[in-house]
Amino acid sequence: MIYPIVKYGDPVLERPAANIAEFDGELKKLADDMFESMYAAHGVGLAAPQIGIGKCIAVIDVTFKEDPNAKLVLVNPEIIKKQGKQTGSEGCLSLPEFRENVSRANVVTVRAQDLEGKWFEKTGEGLLARALLHETEHLIGKLYISHISALKRDIMKRKIKKLMRAGEWA
Ligand SMILES: [Zn+2]
């Protein structure tokens, strides 16, 4: 099932998501639906709050269907190591049409549970490191625009307000 993507302004995006304790069929279905919704929206990462579900789960596929082994499900993730620095253009499905340069760590290790509840660690570099950070932050209610200057953020928010008034942001 393809869920509509929740856009910036919805409080679910800025609330910490709830820890997941049950690793059942329902969770597997949610992960499948999240991949489907992410691909439909042409994204490489999606966190559950972005489909209006305040649970600690995110999916990532930085190869966008190219490599089935690249599909990553993160349940209750936590960043445990950050190294180096990269600066690059970043966007978010919940802030469509906007992109800004964001500096991030270049090599990142996340600790998370899989759909069976088993803990694992995954280290990513470059785009994957960026995605691990971006999606894990979604689950604590943080958006990438918290990493850009206040001035740029205000300009973005003003543009979004205008879109909201025009009925083009829902
Ligand atoms: Zn995002």
Side-chain angles (χ1 to χ4, degrees):
M1 175 191 164
I2 295 172
Y3 285 87
I5 307 293
V6 170
K7 287 188 184 158
Y8 174 76
D10 190 315
V12 73
L13 292 173
E14 291 175 90
R15 267 199 300 260
N19 207 66
I20 291 172
E22 271 186 68
F23 297 85
D24 52 10
E26 209 178 300
L27 187 65
K28 287 185 181 72
K29 172 79 171 72
L30 176 59
D32 285 344
D33 288 346
M34 285 175 66
F35 275 115
E36 212 184 324
S37 306
M38 180 187 82
Y39 292 134
H42 307 285
V44 295
L46 183 76
Q50 293 184 277
I51 53 167
I53 296 172
K55 290 185 182 172
C56 248
I57 176 170
V59 298
I60 291 173
D61 177 5
V62 291
T63 74
F64 198 79
K65 301 182 190 173
E66 198 96 333
D67 177 7
N69 295 321
K71 285 174 78 175
L72 193 60
V73 179
L74 304 171
V75 180
N76 303 323
E78 189 193 345
I79 301 295
I80 55 169
K81 203 171 172 191
K82 291 196 265 189
Q83 285 171 291
K85 193 183 161 186
Q86 59 170 318
T87 302
S89 173
E90 191 164 323
C92 178
L93 292 177
S94 296
L95 288 142
E97 312 295 328
F98 292 97
R99 291 195 80 82
E100 289 291 341
N101 274 333
V102 178
S103 291
R104 300 272 197 186
N106 192 44
V107 182
V108 167
T109 302
V110 69
R111 183 173 178 266
Q113 282 168 286
D114 64 15
L115 289 169
E116 264 75 49
K118 208 175 117 225
W119 286 97
F120 67 96
E121 287 182 13
K122 172 86 182 171
T123 298
E125 197 181 336
L127 180 59
L128 180 55
R130 184 177 291 281
L132 292 172
L133 291 165
H134 182 115
E135 300 312 328
T136 302
E137 285 182 357
H138 265 302
L139 300 176
I140 56 166
K142 195 170 165 184
L143 299 166
Y144 83 92
I145 55 169
S146 65
H147 296 288
I148 66 174
S149 73
L151 179 67
K152 280 185 179 163
R153 195 164 50 242
D154 284 348
I155 292 168
M156 202 188 274
K157 284 183 180 174
R158 243 178 285 146
K159 284 182 184 163
I160 290 169
K161 274 199 190 122
K162 222 182 256 178
L163 290 168
M164 281 174 176
R165 277 197 299 270
E168 288 162 19
W169 190 270

PDB file of all heavy atoms in Angstrom, residues 45-47 50 91-95 134-135 138 143-144, ligand 1:
ATOM      1  N   GLY A  45      15.107   7.355   0.970  1.00  0.00           N
ATOM      2  CA  GLY A  45      14.954   7.095   2.393  1.00  0.00           C
ATOM      3  C   GLY A  45      13.595   7.591   2.861  1.00  0.00           C
ATOM      4  O   GLY A  45      13.062   8.553   2.303  1.00  0.00           O
ATOM      5  N   LEU A  46      13.042   6.888   3.836  1.00  0.00           N
ATOM      6  CA  LEU A  46      11.734   7.300   4.364  1.00  0.00           C
ATOM      7  C   LEU A  46      11.623   6.849   5.817  1.00  0.00           C
ATOM      8  O   LEU A  46      11.936   5.702   6.152  1.00  0.00           O
ATOM      9  CB  LEU A  46      10.596   6.664   3.545  1.00  0.00           C
ATOM     10  CG  LEU A  46       9.179   7.069   3.942  1.00  0.00           C
ATOM     11  CD1 LEU A  46       8.839   8.474   3.437  1.00  0.00           C
ATOM     12  CD2 LEU A  46       8.144   6.079   3.396  1.00  0.00           C
ATOM     13  N   ALA A  47      11.164   7.757   6.664  1.00  0.00           N
ATOM     14  CA  ALA A  47      10.933   7.430   8.072  1.00  0.00           C
ATOM     15  C   ALA A  47       9.423   7.382   8.309  1.00  0.00           C
ATOM     16  O   ALA A  47       8.668   8.127   7.675  1.00  0.00           O
ATOM     17  CB  ALA A  47      11.581   8.491   8.958  1.00  0.00           C
ATOM     18  N   GLN A  50       6.947  10.223   8.331  1.00  0.00           N
ATOM     19  CA  GLN A  50       6.652  10.851   7.035  1.00  0.00           C
ATOM     20  C   GLN A  50       5.421  10.267   6.350  1.00  0.00           C
ATOM     21  O   GLN A  50       4.959  10.811   5.341  1.00  0.00           O
ATOM     22  CB  GLN A  50       7.858  10.713   6.096  1.00  0.00           C
ATOM     23  CG  GLN A  50       9.063  11.504   6.569  1.00  0.00           C
ATOM     24  CD  GLN A  50      10.195  11.409   5.572  1.00  0.00           C
ATOM     25  OE1 GLN A  50      10.951  10.445   5.588  1.00  0.00           O
ATOM     26  NE2 GLN A  50      10.289  12.388   4.688  1.00  0.00           N
ATOM     27  N   GLY A  91      17.824  16.947   0.343  1.00  0.00           N
ATOM     28  CA  GLY A  91      16.397  17.247   0.270  1.00  0.00           C
ATOM     29  C   GLY A  91      15.636  16.280   1.141  1.00  0.00           C
ATOM     30  O   GLY A  91      16.223  15.405   1.777  1.00  0.00           O
ATOM     31  N   CYS A  92      14.317  16.437   1.174  1.00  0.00           N
ATOM     32  CA  CYS A  92      13.478  15.579   2.015  1.00  0.00           C
ATOM     33  C   CYS A  92      12.112  15.460   1.348  1.00  0.00           C
ATOM     34  O   CYS A  92      11.570  16.454   0.869  1.00  0.00           O
ATOM     35  CB  CYS A  92      13.344  16.222   3.401  1.00  0.00           C
ATOM     36  SG  CYS A  92      12.285  15.299   4.530  1.00  0.00           S
ATOM     37  N   LEU A  93      11.567  14.245   1.337  1.00  0.00           N
ATOM     38  CA  LEU A  93      10.256  14.041   0.711  1.00  0.00           C
ATOM     39  C   LEU A  93       9.175  14.882   1.391  1.00  0.00           C
ATOM     40  O   LEU A  93       8.169  15.209   0.772  1.00  0.00           O
ATOM     41  CB  LEU A  93       9.863  12.562   0.762  1.00  0.00           C
ATOM     42  CG  LEU A  93      10.700  11.613  -0.099  1.00  0.00           C
ATOM     43  CD1 LEU A  93      10.249  10.180   0.113  1.00  0.00           C
ATOM     44  CD2 LEU A  93      10.634  11.987  -1.573  1.00  0.00           C
ATOM     45  N   SER A  94       9.389  15.249   2.646  1.00  0.00           N
ATOM     46  CA  SER A  94       8.406  16.055   3.363  1.00  0.00           C
ATOM     47  C   SER A  94       8.570  17.554   3.101  1.00  0.00           C
ATOM     48  O   SER A  94       7.767  18.359   3.569  1.00  0.00           O
ATOM     49  CB  SER A  94       8.491  15.788   4.868  1.00  0.00           C
ATOM     50  OG  SER A  94       8.145  14.442   5.131  1.00  0.00           O
ATOM     51  N   LEU A  95       9.617  17.887   2.351  1.00  0.00           N
ATOM     52  CA  LEU A  95       9.844  19.285   1.940  1.00  0.00           C
ATOM     53  C   LEU A  95      10.101  19.297   0.433  1.00  0.00           C
ATOM     54  O   LEU A  95      11.192  19.644  -0.022  1.00  0.00           O
ATOM     55  CB  LEU A  95      11.042  19.878   2.692  1.00  0.00           C
ATOM     56  CG  LEU A  95      10.803  20.178   4.166  1.00  0.00           C
ATOM     57  CD1 LEU A  95      12.023  19.870   5.001  1.00  0.00           C
ATOM     58  CD2 LEU A  95      10.416  21.642   4.347  1.00  0.00           C
ATOM     59  N   HIS A 134      20.090  11.410   8.198  1.00  0.00           N
ATOM     60  CA  HIS A 134      18.824  12.087   7.885  1.00  0.00           C
ATOM     61  C   HIS A 134      17.624  11.298   8.436  1.00  0.00           C
ATOM     62  O   HIS A 134      16.754  11.870   9.099  1.00  0.00           O
ATOM     63  CB  HIS A 134      18.731  12.250   6.358  1.00  0.00           C
ATOM     64  CG  HIS A 134      17.510  12.981   5.876  1.00  0.00           C
ATOM     65  ND1 HIS A 134      17.584  14.210   5.244  1.00  0.00           N
ATOM     66  CD2 HIS A 134      16.204  12.650   5.916  1.00  0.00           C
ATOM     67  CE1 HIS A 134      16.346  14.602   4.934  1.00  0.00           C
ATOM     68  NE2 HIS A 134      15.496  13.670   5.326  1.00  0.00           N
ATOM     69  N   GLU A 135      17.605   9.982   8.176  1.00  0.00           N
ATOM     70  CA  GLU A 135      16.447   9.173   8.597  1.00  0.00           C
ATOM     71  C   GLU A 135      16.417   8.968  10.111  1.00  0.00           C
ATOM     72  O   GLU A 135      15.351   8.988  10.718  1.00  0.00           O
ATOM     73  CB  GLU A 135      16.432   7.823   7.878  1.00  0.00           C
ATOM     74  CG  GLU A 135      16.357   7.914   6.349  1.00  0.00           C
ATOM     75  CD  GLU A 135      15.281   8.859   5.834  1.00  0.00           C
ATOM     76  OE1 GLU A 135      14.229   9.009   6.480  1.00  0.00           O
ATOM     77  OE2 GLU A 135      15.508   9.465   4.775  1.00  0.00           O
ATOM     78  N   HIS A 138      14.956  11.977  11.639  1.00  0.00           N
ATOM     79  CA  HIS A 138      13.492  12.031  11.514  1.00  0.00           C
ATOM     80  C   HIS A 138      12.821  11.384  12.723  1.00  0.00           C
ATOM     81  O   HIS A 138      11.788  11.845  13.191  1.00  0.00           O
ATOM     82  CB  HIS A 138      13.030  11.257  10.263  1.00  0.00           C
ATOM     83  CG  HIS A 138      12.833  12.116   9.049  1.00  0.00           C
ATOM     84  ND1 HIS A 138      11.971  13.185   9.030  1.00  0.00           N
ATOM     85  CD2 HIS A 138      13.361  12.045   7.801  1.00  0.00           C
ATOM     86  CE1 HIS A 138      11.995  13.737   7.824  1.00  0.00           C
ATOM     87  NE2 HIS A 138      12.837  13.071   7.058  1.00  0.00           N
ATOM     88  N   LEU A 143      14.447  17.666  11.513  1.00  0.00           N
ATOM     89  CA  LEU A 143      14.491  17.749  10.050  1.00  0.00           C
ATOM     90  C   LEU A 143      15.817  18.342   9.594  1.00  0.00           C
ATOM     91  O   LEU A 143      16.472  19.060  10.346  1.00  0.00           O
ATOM     92  CB  LEU A 143      13.335  18.617   9.543  1.00  0.00           C
ATOM     93  CG  LEU A 143      11.938  18.081   9.891  1.00  0.00           C
ATOM     94  CD1 LEU A 143      10.877  19.144   9.659  1.00  0.00           C
ATOM     95  CD2 LEU A 143      11.631  16.824   9.082  1.00  0.00           C
ATOM     96  N   TYR A 144      16.183  18.055   8.332  1.00  0.00           N
ATOM     97  CA  TYR A 144      17.499  18.510   7.868  1.00  0.00           C
ATOM     98  C   TYR A 144      17.642  20.031   7.889  1.00  0.00           C
ATOM     99  O   TYR A 144      18.740  20.550   7.972  1.00  0.00           O
ATOM    100  CB  TYR A 144      17.812  17.939   6.471  1.00  0.00           C
ATOM    101  CG  TYR A 144      17.232  18.701   5.305  1.00  0.00           C
ATOM    102  CD1 TYR A 144      17.969  19.712   4.681  1.00  0.00           C
ATOM    103  CD2 TYR A 144      15.959  18.427   4.814  1.00  0.00           C
ATOM    104  CE1 TYR A 144      17.444  20.412   3.601  1.00  0.00           C
ATOM    105  CE2 TYR A 144      15.433  19.114   3.745  1.00  0.00           C
ATOM    106  CZ  TYR A 144      16.173  20.115   3.135  1.00  0.00           C
ATOM    107  OH  TYR A 144      15.640  20.812   2.074  1.00  0.00           O
TER     108      TYR A 144
HETATM  109 ZN    ZN B   1      13.460  13.499   5.169  1.00  0.00          ZN
END
